[in-house]
Amino acid sequence: MTQRNGSAGHLGDDTREPGGPLSRRGLMRWAGVAGLGTAGSALLPGAVPDARAGSTAAAPDVAAVAPPVFDPIRPPAVPLAVRSPYLSAWLPADGAAGTWPVFWTGRTTAMTGIARVDGVPYLFLGAPNVPGQVLRGMAQRSLTVTATRSRYLFEAAGVELALTFLSPVEPGDLRRQSMPLSYLTAEVRSRDGRAHDVTVYFDISGEWAHGDAGTKIRWARESVSGPGATTVTALSFTPDAPQPLGENGDMATWGTVVWNATDRPGLTWQIGADTTVRAAAVKDGELAGTADPDQPRRINDNWPVFAFNFDLGSVHRSTETAVLSVGHVREPAVSYLGTPLPPLWRSYWPSWQRMAAFFHADAADASRRTAALDRKVKRDATAAGGPKYAALCALSLRQAYAGTELVSRDGKPWAFLKEISSDGNVSTIDVTYPAMPVFLHTDPAYLGLLLAPMLDYPEHGGWPKTFAEHDLGSSYPNAAGHNDGNEEDMPVEESANMLIMCAAYLARADSATARAFAGEHYRVLRQWADYLVDNALDPGYQNQTDDFTGFIGHSANLALKGILGIGAMSRVAAAAGRTADAARYRSTARDYAAQWADKAQDTTRDHLKLAYDQPGTWSLKYNGYPDALLGLGLVPESVAAEEAAWYATQANPYGIPLDVRHAYTKGDWEMWTAAWLRAHPVSGYLVDALYDFAHTTPSRVPFTDWYDTVANKQSGFQARPVVGGVFALLTLDR
C-alpha cells in the first residue's frame, strides 16, 4: 500500500488551462455566482446586487442569519453520490452553494441546483455561471449525516427545501447492493403558511464521464417504464471512444453516466450548453425537451449539461417531491486473470434502463430500509462508544462500501475492492483487512465475497509463492495477478491478514457454511499458517501494511499479527474438523505469545517497543484487536493495561501517533486500538480525538485515514475503504 505520486493530499485544481490563464470552467468556479465563497454571506437571502458587475453586497440583515447546524458531525467532505469506485461524488465545503461537487480525487464533477420561488431564482448547489443573473442563495440551515444519506435543509422566501443524497447500503440483498446508482431527492414545502409557486432545477455536466475534459462524449434521452406505474426519464452520456478497463485520473475511461428522474407533472428536460440550459430554467421555469444535436463533442466544448426542471406548481400545506438518481454503469466491470467479468446487476436486469426503472420504483421502500439501517447503526454505535463514535460510523459506512463492487464470475457473486488513493491495486489484502470490521458488523457474507477472489488466485491462478499475495493486480480494474512473483511482498502481513479475516468470517457463518469454507480452502490456509509458524515470532526485515513508514526489522506489532494469525488458524482447523491441527496451532500461538510479550517489553518495563532491537521506542499495537475479535486470549491483560496507560501519556490534540517516529497516525488503526483497549480510558480518548479531527480539519477531502495528530491536517490518502475499521468497537458486541 504505497502512496501514488500526486494522487493524494490535495484537491484537484482544474481552473487553469496548462500554462495559461483562467479557463472558462475556472471562471465558472470562481466568478459564476457573484461573491461566492463557501456558501458565503453574499448568497444568503437579503443579498442585493452591487453596482459593480459580477459582485454582490450583503443587505444589512445578513449578519443575523445563523450558521448552519451540522448533525452529528461536520464532514471534511460531504458524501453525495458515493456508491462504487467510479461513482464517488463529494462536496468539499460546509455550504452546498458556491462549491462544485468533486470526484474523490478533487476533480470537478459539476452538479447544479437552483430553485425558483415565485419567479425569483435561488442557488442551493454548485457554482454555476448564469449569464445576466446574479443568483441569490438559499440559506443553508442544517446538514444531517447518517450512515446512508446526507440531508441538507435550505430556506428562502418562505419556502423550505430538503435535499437528500441517499447512497443505499443493502446488507444481505445482493441484487440491490449491486446497483451502481444513488438517489437525490428534493422535498419542498411552505414555511410561512402561504402558497408559493416553486420550480426546482438540477443538472450534471459531462465531467462525470471521464477524467479528461478534452474527451468527446455522446448522449441520449429515453423514457423507461418500471414496475407498477413508474416511468423514468433517463439522460445518459458516454465517451465517444471508450477504452474498456482503463482509467484516466482514477476515473473510468469506459461506461455510461445515467441521470434519471421519476416522471411527474411539470417535469421537463434538456441537454445542451451549460449557460443556455441554465438560463432557460432561470428565466422560464421550464426546459425545452431537446437534446443538442452537436455530438459527439468535447466535455469542455460549451460544457454540455444534462438537466431536469420540476415545476412543482403552487406549494402550500403538502410537501412536493422530486426524485432523481445518478449512476455509472460499466460492462465489463473488471478483468480477472484476463477474463472480463460482468457486473453482478447484469444477473438481475437485461439492461441498465430496466435496472434504473426498478431503482426508481423502489425509492420509497429503499428509503425506509436504509432509514432503519441508519437507526440501527446509530443505536448500536452509541451504545458501544458514545455519540461521537456513532458519528464516525455514520461518516464511514458509505465510503467503505463504495470502495467495493459486485461482479459475476461463472454465475457466482464475487466482490472486488479498489485501493483508492494510494496504489490503486485490485483487492489489496492489507487494505481489505483494516476495512474488515464494517463488513463483519453489517454483512459478514459480503466479507466472504471479498475473500473469494483473494483465495481463488493462490489456489488456481498461478501465484508462485508460499505466503499470501499482496493484491490481485497492480491497477484496478485489472486483476491480472502477479504470476511472475513481482509485487510488493508483505509475507507475514498478508498471510496473517488472510487467516484472521477467514477466521472472523467463519465465526459469523452458520456451521454448514463454515465447515464447507474451511474445507475448501484448507490447503492454502494451512500453507500460510505454516509459513507463519516459521517466520512470525521474529519477522526479520519485512515490509508491512504501514509501508509509508519504511521497512522495519523485528517489528513487535508485525510479530503480534503473525502470532494471532497462527491462533486464527486454530479456529479454521476446528471449523474444518481437523482437531489435531487445531490443537497444534493453538499451542504454538500460546508459546509464541508468551515469548513475544517478553521480547517486546521495553527496558523500562512500562510499555512495548516498536521493534525487538529498539529499546526506548513504542508504537500503537493495533494488531491486538484480532485477539479481542476472535477471543483468542493470547495477549496478556497485563500487557494491554500497560499499553493503554502508556498511550495515554503520548496523546496529542488530535490523536495518538502511529509510533515514536512521526506525529501522524492512522484513524483506522486508532479505532482498532480503541476496540482492543475498550476497557481502558484511552479507548474513549481515541474516539473523541478522531471525531475532533474529522469535525474540524481544514483538509476538505473525503475522510482520510492518514493525518497529523498535531497539525490537524491530512498527511495523505483519502476516500479509502479502510475507514470501515471505525466499526471495530461494534464487532465486539455480538
Side-chain angles (χ1 to χ4, degrees), residues 542-556:
Q542 286 200 9
N543 200 5
Q544 39 73 53
T545 184
D546 302 318
D547 51 3
F548 48 87
T549 66
F551 275 63
I552 182 172
H554 319 293
S555 166

Side-chain angles (χ1 to χ4, degrees), residues 76-100:
V78 183
L80 302 181
V82 179
R83 195 77 160 100
S84 79
Y86 299 122
L87 181 61
S88 186
W90 305 76
L91 201 288
D94 288 349
T99 302
W100 285 123

